[in-house]
Amino acid sequence: MNGKFGYGLVITVVGMGGTILSLWFMSFVIGLLKRLFPYREEAETKGKEIV
Amino acid sequence: MLEMIQNGMLSLVMGVSALTVQNVVMIAAGCGLLFLGIRKNYEPLLLVPIGFGAILVNIPMGGMMSEGGLLRHFHDFGVITEIFPCLIFIGIGAMTDFTPLLENPKILLLGAAGQFGIFLTLLLAMGLGFNLLDSVAIGVIGACDGPTSIFVTSKFAPHLLGAVSVAAYSYMALVPLIQPPIMRALTTQKERKVRMEYPAKSVSRALKVVFPIAVTIVTCLIAPMGTPLMGMLMLGNLMKESGVVARLTKASENEIANIVTLLLGLAIGATMDGAAFLRGQTLLILGLGLLAISLDTVMGVLFGKLMCFLSGGKVNPLIGAAGISAYPMAARVVQTEGRKYNTNNWLLMHAMGANTGGQVGSIMAAGIMLSVLKGMGLG
């Protein structure tokens, strides 16, 4: 695993795995944020009126 | 006196006499890019300055890329320092609406699958004899994201900048031709007809404001080397969503984006000097770039099929093809393909979600790749 292909393989495996894991984690974080900042129709409409 | 006139006349043909075959070929290639941009309307904002830059740099004795030359200044100031790609991202962030992604966060995974072509192409490039850093630069064409490709290539393989950036931008423009055959080959008629319902409105303004801050903190902590790109993308988006810096947002999506696009395009075109560009290696890079984007589409659609299976047929696998960074072209392609098989099917917003996921995913993939390289002592 020390050769050129070893490095390539490491980048591929860590890159693909890391990308999918980090975006999965990000989607989980977005889910949490949606609970923390829920959509309320009244508030959103009111906000628009002010703008 | 006669000799002086003779010398004066000779100086008028110096340019023509210094013209090489490579110059002529590259001037023709520049005209080809102009044709695609002007006549075919393929990414004219990019292809017109790139094509014109290619013509300018191949005019012998014009000195555009010599020390102190005009295009050399643009290139050294904006590309070598990576300032242009980062500034472009502020504009992209200010123009991007992440609402479809926030409505359905799971779709972000399609933005990850759509980057797998980067890594598969990297291995293939190594197999074809490129060294590791050159292979990284070639693979990143698969990000389908011009600024990211330039950012990575100028770091690791500046000698490939011309070929990589031309491939990245040209294939981005050709997404409507590259993707549909792959999408059709990998899906059944039944899958292509799957209708996706729109979720009820569920994104608050507060969430839209918090999103860019959260993405910046989370993703940049995971892959710090991607911070310049992700940071600028999310700064642009924060300015847009916060609504408190309208002037800066307008400047980002108009003046800054326009000026930088023009200078970046010219600087990329300027790397297409015949002597350096016309090599077998360039053709190989263009071929691998095409393969990278095709593999992105394959992996995206296959992941879409997996999501379709796991959701009990509620996800149309076509939206997987939009998990690349070519925004909003890839989403439009999905919408057009979907409607060919079910005229009442409106996949656009779902595809937009996957497409914005692809933007985040491409920067993430590049950031992770850079961070891993640094971790291995190669970056």
Side-chain angles (χ1 to χ4, degrees), chain B residues 21-38:
Chain B
V21 178
Q22 288 110 314
N23 291 142
V24 174
V25 172
M26 290 313 294
I27 287 173
C31 291
L33 293 177
L34 288 177
F35 174 79
L36 287 176
I38 296 167

Side-chain angles (χ1 to χ4, degrees), chain B residues 147-166:
Chain B
T148 302
S149 303
I150 294 168
F151 184 83
V152 173
T153 308
S154 55
K155 239 182 180 59
F156 293 125
H159 56 286
L160 299 182
L161 199 57
V164 168
S165 44
V166 167

Side-chain angles (χ1 to χ4, degrees), chain B residues 182-215:
Chain B
I182 300 171
M183 291 157 75
R184 285 194 288 267
L186 293 176
T187 51
T188 61
Q189 280 242 8
K190 193 182 162 199
E191 286 172 333
R192 293 194 285 268
K193 284 181 181 168
V194 170
R195 265 189 82 162
M196 290 181 72
E197 298 303 324
Y198 278 86
K201 251 187 174 177
S202 61
V203 180
S204 64
R205 185 170 169 266
L207 176 60
K208 287 186 193 178
V209 173
V210 172
F211 171 74
I213 304 169
V215 171

Side-chain angles (χ1 to χ4, degrees), chain B residues 10-329:
Chain B
L10 272 176
S11 69
L12 293 181
V13 293
M14 264 187 342
V16 179
S17 58
L19 201 65
T20 62
V21 178
Q22 288 110 314
N23 291 142
V24 174
V25 172
M26 290 313 294
I27 287 173
C31 291
L33 293 177
L34 288 177
F35 174 79
L36 287 176
I38 296 167
R39 195 65 194 264
K40 299 282 178 186
N41 212 24
Y42 289 156
E43 292 276 332
L45 289 176
L46 295 163
L47 292 191
V48 170
I50 291 176
F52 209 79
I55 294 175
L56 289 177
V57 79
N58 281 288
I59 304 285
M61 313 182 85
M64 298 298 267
M65 274 301 264
S66 315
E67 201 64 53
L70 180 67
L71 296 186
R72 180 70 177 265
H73 282 306
F74 295 163
H75 181 266
D76 289 355
F77 167 74
V79 178
I80 296 293
T81 58
E82 297 159 0
I83 286 174
F84 284 168
C86 295
L87 284 178
I88 287 270
F89 265 120
I90 297 186
I92 295 174
M95 287 183 245
T96 304
D97 182 8
F98 284 99
T99 309
L101 179 69
L102 295 173
E103 301 268 15
N104 185 6
K106 282 191 191 108
I107 234 163
L108 193 54
L109 291 176
L110 290 171
Q115 312 310 320
F116 286 179
I118 298 177
F119 302 103
L120 298 175
T121 308
L122 181 154
L123 282 182
L124 206 64
M126 290 181 81
L128 287 171
F130 287 96
N131 68 41
L132 179 65
L133 297 182
D134 285 1
S135 303
V136 165
I138 294 166
V140 91
I141 299 172
C144 214
D145 181 338
T148 302
S149 303
I150 294 168
F151 184 83
V152 173
T153 308
S154 55
K155 239 182 180 59
F156 293 125
H159 56 286
L160 299 182
L161 199 57
V164 168
S165 44
V166 167
Y169 278 115
S170 311
Y171 294 143
M172 257 166 71
L174 296 175
V175 157
L177 299 178
I178 298 170
Q179 287 201 314
I182 300 171
M183 291 157 75
R184 285 194 288 267
L186 293 176
T187 51
T188 61
Q189 280 242 8
K190 193 182 162 199
E191 286 172 333
R192 293 194 285 268
K193 284 181 181 168
V194 170
R195 265 189 82 162
M196 290 181 72
E197 298 303 324
Y198 278 86
K201 251 187 174 177
S202 61
V203 180
S204 64
R205 185 170 169 266
L207 176 60
K208 287 186 193 178
V209 173
V210 172
F211 171 74
I213 304 169
V215 171
T216 306
I217 295 171
V218 172
T219 59
C220 295
L221 282 176
I222 297 172
M225 298 294 284
T227 305
L229 298 176
M230 192 66 88
M232 293 303 105
L233 178 75
M234 290 301 151
L235 170 65
N237 191 251
L238 176 64
M239 291 195 299
K240 168 187 163 13
E241 297 299 349
S242 69
V244 294
V245 282
R247 277 168 49 194
L248 297 185
T249 310
K250 270 189 182 166
S252 303
E253 59 187 12
N254 295 303
E255 290 85 356
I256 294 175
N258 290 341
I259 293 169
V260 176
T261 302
L262 172 64
L263 299 184
L264 182 63
L266 280 169
I268 292 167
T271 59
M272 294 170 72
D273 173 48
F277 196 83
L278 281 181
R279 286 179 296 173
Q281 194 190 48
T282 305
L283 275 180
L284 210 54
I285 293 170
L286 293 177
L288 284 166
L290 179 62
L291 188 77
I293 291 174
S294 305
L295 284 170
D296 283 342
T297 309
V298 168
M299 298 307 285
V301 174
L302 289 179
F303 203 85
K305 280 171 84 90
L306 179 69
M307 284 179 89
C308 178
F309 174 73
L310 294 176
S311 66
K314 286 181 186 155
V315 173
N316 188 317
L318 289 180
I319 66 165
I324 59 173
S325 188
Y327 178 86
M329 252 126 32

Side-chain angles (χ1 to χ4, degrees), chain A residues 4-20 22-31 33-34 37-40 44 48 51, chain B residues 102-103 105 108-109 112 116 119 123 126-127 130 132 201-207 210-211 214-215 218 222 303 361 364-365 368-369 372-373 376 378:
Chain A
K4 176 174 101 163
F5 276 100
Y7 284 124
L9 218 55
V10 170
I11 294 174
T12 303
V13 172
V14 179
M16 284 164 85
T19 305
I20 205 147
S22 51
L23 291 195
W24 170 79
F25 181 64
M26 204 55 241
S27 71
F28 172 73
V29 170
I30 296 171
L33 289 174
K34 276 181 93 165
F37 304 100
Y39 178 80
R40 288 193 195 92
E44 296 302 315
K48 270 181 193 166
V51 171
Chain B
L102 295 173
E103 301 268 15
L108 193 54
L109 291 176
F116 286 179
F119 302 103
L123 282 182
M126 290 181 81
F130 287 96
L132 179 65
K201 251 187 174 177
S202 61
V203 180
S204 64
R205 185 170 169 266
L207 176 60
V210 172
F211 171 74
V215 171
V218 172
I222 297 172
F303 203 85
M364 201 62 216
I368 287 176
M369 205 152 67
V372 173
L373 278 169
M376 294 193 303
L378 299 167

